[in-house]
Amino acid sequence: MGGHLYALDFDGVLCDSCGESSLSAVKAAKVRWPSVFEHIDATMEGWIVEQMYTLRPVVETGYENLLLVRLLVEILVPSARHSSVSYMCKVSEGLSVQEILENWLKLKPTIMSEWNEDRESLVDLFGRIRDEWIENDLPGWIGANRFYPGTADALKFSSSEIYIVTTKQGRFAEALLKELAGIEIPSERIYGLGTGPKVKVLQQLQQMPQHQGLTLHFIEDRLATLKNVIKEPALERWNLYLVNWGYNTPKEREEATDISRVKVIDLSDFSRNLK
């Protein structure tokens, strides 16, 4: 039995959702921390969204966008720190956007603790704000996203087995595939937030009887995720790819070229591979 199976990340591989996720994060952050965002006007919001394009490579799960936009507000408006119950900590004092980019893995648990936040509450809020935006203004929500050039056609005309493996909530990925790309992928082929770590999803996919004999491919835009796959001996059958158009940095792409298991690909490679 021949053929190919492609497990595809969604954000940063198929869809550029940074504009939408940043705007949704600002909306949600205003609900979560109204006093911090009290004096943020449209110009300031524009600056925050612009900086989020720089910071997007550090985001693994959507709720982190809320933390990042709040940090940006506290950088932009130092007085906002004093609106916080944790103002004595001043975690954002002297912090730059570049320092956030370089130190996010250390910063995230610190601010979660200092701001007295919990992951599930932020995940639920972020999802609810997106649901409300979709319900009240579906065209506006759809329009804040875009598929990378050629990716939608590559999916439409692919003869391979296609699965979406993402940390995005599955209903949002499914809606964008349908409404923006014109593609209907069955929900059982979309492994979204809550379906487990990606390494576990890949294990499930390779163990399914119908996938025996297929050549396995996993396409990602986060090098850290690919490194996690490499650490799992059980996943050695997977061919691993890092896209050069997604939410990663030049430094990460350069590092990937020195990892034998990982191939860095461009959009034309992606379209050819999925045929």
Side-chain angles (χ1 to χ4, degrees):
M1 180 180 177
H4 298 265
L5 181 153
Y6 281 88
L8 307 175
D9 183 28
F10 187 78
D11 293 318
V13 171
L14 299 176
C15 183
D16 178 7
S17 61
C18 190
E20 179 274 321
S21 61
S22 300
L23 291 170
S24 292
V26 170
K27 293 172 185 284
K30 286 180 176 179
V31 173
R32 190 69 168 182
W33 308 293
S35 60
V36 175
F37 283 75
E38 192 173 16
H39 302 296
I40 301 302
D41 59 24
T43 301
M44 294 175 179
E45 284 188 18
W47 179 85
I48 291 168
V49 172
E50 184 179 324
Q51 301 310 308
M52 286 297 291
Y53 276 94
T54 300
L55 292 173
R56 182 58 181 80
V58 304
V59 175
E60 182 175 12
T61 307
Y63 79 94
E64 295 172 69
N65 287 289
L66 277 75
L67 303 175
L68 288 167
V69 299
R70 175 171 168 176
L71 266 185
L72 289 170
V73 166
E74 295 193 2
I75 290 172
L76 183 64
V77 186
S79 60
R81 301 171 197 154
H82 302 289
S83 302
S84 165
V85 294
S86 59
Y87 72 89
M88 291 298 292
C89 298
K90 298 183 180 178
V91 68
S92 58
E93 189 169 11
L95 200 61
S96 68
V97 172
Q98 186 62 32
E99 286 169 335
I100 297 173
L101 186 63
E102 294 172 356
N103 300 292
W104 180 239
L105 289 179
K106 295 179 181 177
L107 279 170
K108 185 174 70 169
T110 300
I111 60 177
M112 287 287 283
S113 174
E114 291 183 356
W115 295 348
N116 195 29
E117 292 296 338
D118 70 276
R119 181 185 187 277
E120 291 309 312
S121 295
L122 294 175
V123 168
D124 290 345
L125 173 61
F126 196 47
R128 177 163 58 83
I129 291 297
R130 277 175 155 164
D131 284 332
E132 291 174 357
W133 190 358
I134 291 170
E135 184 177 350
N136 296 324
D137 180 20
L138 179 60
W141 182 77
I142 293 292
N145 297 271
R146 73 179 183 96
F147 274 73
Y148 292 103
T151 56
D153 283 344
L155 285 179
K156 286 178 184 176
F157 300 115
S158 176
S159 59
S160 302
E161 297 291 328
I162 301 294
Y163 288 83
I164 306 299
V165 182
T166 176
T167 56
K168 195 184 198 76
Q169 288 169 304
R171 65 184 184 277
F172 300 128
E174 189 172 357
L176 287 168
L177 284 163
K178 181 179 179 180
E179 301 293 340
L180 192 57
I183 301 168
E184 294 201 30
I185 292 182
S187 57
E188 62 268 20
R189 286 180 174 249
I190 300 176
Y191 289 80
L193 184 66
T195 57
K198 291 186 179 184
V199 291
K200 298 299 183 186
V201 173
L202 296 183
Q203 287 176 359
Q204 292 175 39
L205 291 176
Q206 76 176 23
Q207 290 169 358
M208 291 180 180
Q210 66 269 35
H211 298 156
Q212 302 311 303
L214 297 182
T215 302
L216 306 175
H217 309 270
F218 179 42
I219 303 183
E220 252 286 348
D221 73 316
R222 294 191 77 249
L223 183 57
T225 302
L226 295 176
K227 286 180 176 179
N228 286 338
V229 174
I230 292 170
K231 291 175 186 175
E232 296 289 336
L235 297 178
E236 62 181 11
R237 289 177 52 205
W238 288 88
N239 296 290
L240 306 178
Y241 307 86
L242 181 75
V243 303
N244 71 355
W245 63 86
Y247 305 131
N248 49 49
T249 64
K251 182 179 178 181
E252 289 170 327
R253 292 193 288 274
E254 183 179 353
E255 181 184 349
T257 61
D258 293 326
I259 302 175
S260 60
R261 281 279 306 274
V262 177
K263 181 179 180 181
V264 179
I265 61 171
D266 59 23
L267 281 164
S268 60
D269 295 325
F270 179 86
S271 295
R272 279 196 303 271
N273 289 352
L274 257 67
K275 285 182 179 178

